Amino acid sequence: MPSPAAHGRRVTAAMVAERAGTSIATVSLVVNGKDRGRVSPPIADRVREAVDALGYVVDHAASSLARGTGDLVVLIAPDLSNPFFAEVIRGVRDTLGDRFQLVLSVTERGAQPTTADLRRFERLRPAGILVDAPAAGESMDASVPVVLLDAPDAAAGTTAVDYDLAPGIDALVAHLRDRGHGRVAYLDGTARVATFGIRHRMFDEACAAAGITVSELGARADLTVDAAALATEHAIEAWHEDGVTAVVAAADTLAYGVLRVAGAMGLRVPEDLAVAGFDDLPSSSVTAPALTSVALPGAELGRTAAQRLLATIDGTAVEPVELPARLVTRASTGG
């Protein structure tokens, strides 16, 4: 016999309870994964059979209103298509497990998340919100627990997980110096993210301390391989004339564009031009040549942020956390 859902009728918890011969409260425990130790296995099985037979779908909005909070965790990010975010999502998902459902949201046109984005999701009464690379200067306060990821300029008192870039950048600059590079160029990202500005500034400072000159002929590009390749095409001749022997990109996706153009022009990497990036994406080990990168572990970022969010939800005090960056040397710099 077709289920009520097949006829367009909304299946309710009361209908599931009637079919399973139990109470609505028991149905709620089972469908929300809270039946262990509270509902006997045979009854829980009857409820699940009734759910499947009737096509019952949990109304999370109604559940949130009834409880005052939901079983959803929202991750707001500026660009979920970037491979880096796949690693972040994996870390978050593995940590949340079955306790919460993860909802992903990408901001409009890749803009950095703002407090206004938080407000939209507060209406769903989620258990908590994770915000990756929020816009600078945003308060990011909300009525639900919030943890910021990769937000080095976060306001005091904010729960955040960031990278300690110094170890990785210092190691990269020392690596370039040891390989004889005295003049380098920097390919920056166009996204107005605090972490990009800090990467650039710290790289410039480390180069100055090491006696390496950073060319004033810098370039910028959106965080795509095509955009980076186009920016490199416009800048590479000027870099060559300026004596640049190495290019450092603010992200691996940008460095891939540099590698593409170098290959198309017949430049040998690293003999004619060394290339390095930031992030150490999984694909960076299989580029041609493999890419040297300052490793910013996305999965660890997501995992640590989710752990901090769970602690906040459970009422446990947490402090800001910094994850140390490290250098992974590969063939693109002669590593």
Side-chain angles (χ1 to χ4, degrees):
M1 179 182 296
S3 70
H7 294 292
R9 291 173 54 197
R10 180 174 176 273
V11 179
T12 66
M15 296 165 67
V16 174
E18 181 179 1
R19 184 181 181 102
T22 187
S23 68
I24 295 175
T26 298
V27 170
S28 178
L29 288 172
V30 174
V31 299
N32 286 293
K34 299 178 180 179
D35 55 297
R36 182 175 297 178
R38 305 170 73 178
V39 179
S40 68
I43 293 177
D45 288 342
R46 290 211 310 269
V47 171
R48 295 187 184 99
E49 290 170 1
V51 167
D52 292 340
L54 296 175
Y56 176 64
V57 178
V58 180
D59 186 341
H60 290 290
S63 298
S64 297
L65 289 173
R67 293 191 305 270
T69 186
D71 62 354
L72 303 178
V73 166
V74 180
L75 170 61
I76 306 174
D79 181 12
L80 294 177
S81 65
N82 189 313
F84 175 78
F85 290 110
E87 291 296 296
V88 174
I89 293 167
R90 179 169 64 86
V92 172
R93 181 65 273 170
D94 289 349
T95 304
L96 294 180
D98 295 331
R99 181 176 174 184
F100 294 104
Q101 298 188 57
L102 180 62
V103 175
L104 307 177
S105 173
V106 61
T107 54
E108 185 176 0
R109 297 179 182 176
Q112 306 314 121
T114 65
T115 305
D117 294 308
L118 279 182
R119 296 289 176 262
R120 295 188 186 98
F121 285 101
E122 275 187 296
R123 301 179 191 129
L124 295 178
R125 300 191 184 184
I129 301 176
L130 299 166
V131 184
D132 195 292
E138 292 287 325
S139 62
M140 290 295 169
D141 59 324
S143 59
V144 299
V146 175
V147 175
L148 308 183
L149 296 73
D150 205 5
D153 62 345
T158 303
T159 303
V161 180
D162 293 303
Y163 293 113
D164 177 6
L165 298 172
I169 290 177
D170 289 345
L172 171 60
V173 171
H175 174 70
L176 295 174
R177 180 198 59 207
D178 292 346
R179 277 150 185 75
H181 298 287
R183 195 171 191 86
V184 303
Y186 193 85
L187 176 58
D188 208 348
T190 56
R192 302 182 69 176
V193 186
T195 186
F196 276 5
I198 292 174
R199 290 178 200 183
H200 197 166
R201 174 179 57 78
M202 292 181 67
F203 178 74
D204 285 349
E205 292 173 352
C207 283
I212 296 175
T213 299
V214 180
S215 174
E216 295 182 357
L217 303 175
R220 296 166 62 87
D222 290 343
L223 291 182
T224 68
V225 177
D226 289 342
L230 182 61
T232 302
E233 288 173 356
H234 290 159
I236 198 164
E237 290 294 342
W239 285 341
H240 176 71
E241 293 175 2
D242 195 39
V244 167
T245 59
V247 176
V248 173
D252 283 4
T253 49
L254 298 177
Y256 299 160
V258 179
L259 290 176
R260 177 197 288 180
V261 173
M265 295 181 64
L267 296 176
R268 297 170 303 162
V269 177
E271 293 85 357
D272 299 325
L273 185 70
V275 182
F278 281 80
D279 290 336
D280 190 35
L281 299 176
S283 51
S284 293
S285 64
V286 295
T287 54
L291 181 68
T292 289
S293 185
V294 176
L296 306 175
E300 187 176 354
L301 180 71
R303 182 165 50 252
T304 305
Q307 289 170 347
R308 294 301 182 276
L309 184 64
L310 292 176
T312 304
I313 291 170
D314 294 337
T316 304
V318 294
E319 297 293 333
V321 177
E322 286 192 337
L323 306 175
R326 62 183 179 87
L327 180 66
V328 179
T329 56
R330 299 192 180 98
S332 69
T333 58

